[in-house]
Amino acid sequence: GLKVLKTNTSIQRDMRNILEFDTDKPVTLWIGYYAPISPSNRYLNAPKLETDASANDYGQADIKITNAIEISGMPAVNVHSFNFTAGHHRLDIGKGMCLILGFSEPAKDFQPHDAGLKESSSIDWLFY
C-alpha cells in the first residue's frame, strides 16, 4: 500500500527539500536515511533529538527498519516514519540525499526491526 514518490538526487543534495501535501486522512511518510560511516554533507542526517528539538515532531526520531535497503556502493539505509493527521502539511526535510519512499496508511503496531539487507561489516575499515 505504499504510494511511492520519485525525487531527483542532485536537487536533494544541493537544495533544501520541501514536501508540501494535502491528505484527507492520517498517513505515514517513510523516509530512508543513508547511514554513512563518517560525517558527510552529501547525505541528509537522520533525525537526532540530541541536536534538534523538532526531531520527533512527527514520531520520526526512532529507526523503524534498520538495514532496510541495500544499494551497491552506498551506505546502509535506515527507514524512519513520519505520522501526519488529515490536512495540509509542509515538511522541510532538509538538504542532502535520502530516500523519500512514499506514503502509506498509518503504521499501527509496527514493530521496529533489522531487515538485514546490508552485508555485515567488520571493523577492518578502522585500520585503513
Side-chain angles (χ1 to χ4, degrees), residues 71-112:
I71 301 171
S72 181
M74 298 294 283
V77 175
N78 298 321
V79 175
H80 294 246
S81 63
F82 292 64
N83 300 304
F84 296 94
T85 58
H88 178 80
H89 300 279
R90 185 175 191 274
L91 178 65
D92 183 345
I93 296 172
K95 180 179 172 182
M97 291 181 357
C98 68
L99 298 174
I100 303 172
L101 301 170
F103 292 94
S104 72
E105 291 184 6
K108 297 175 186 163
D109 300 322
F110 188 88
Q111 296 299 313

Side-chain angles (χ1 to χ4, degrees), residues 24-97:
D24 57 358
K25 58 186 177 183
V27 293
T28 296
L29 171 64
W30 299 90
I31 297 183
Y33 293 91
Y34 294 98
I37 292 172
S38 60
S40 167
N41 290 336
R42 180 178 183 187
Y43 304 107
L44 181 63
N45 292 321
K48 288 186 183 178
L49 284 170
E50 295 87 6
T51 57
D52 182 2
S54 66
N56 204 33
D57 286 353
Y58 305 100
Q60 76 271 25
D62 296 326
I63 297 172
K64 298 300 188 230
I65 308 172
T66 306
N67 299 310
I69 301 168
E70 183 177 15
I71 301 171
S72 181
M74 298 294 283
V77 175
N78 298 321
V79 175
H80 294 246
S81 63
F82 292 64
N83 300 304
F84 296 94
T85 58
H88 178 80
H89 300 279
R90 185 175 191 274
L91 178 65
D92 183 345
I93 296 172
K95 180 179 172 182
M97 291 181 357

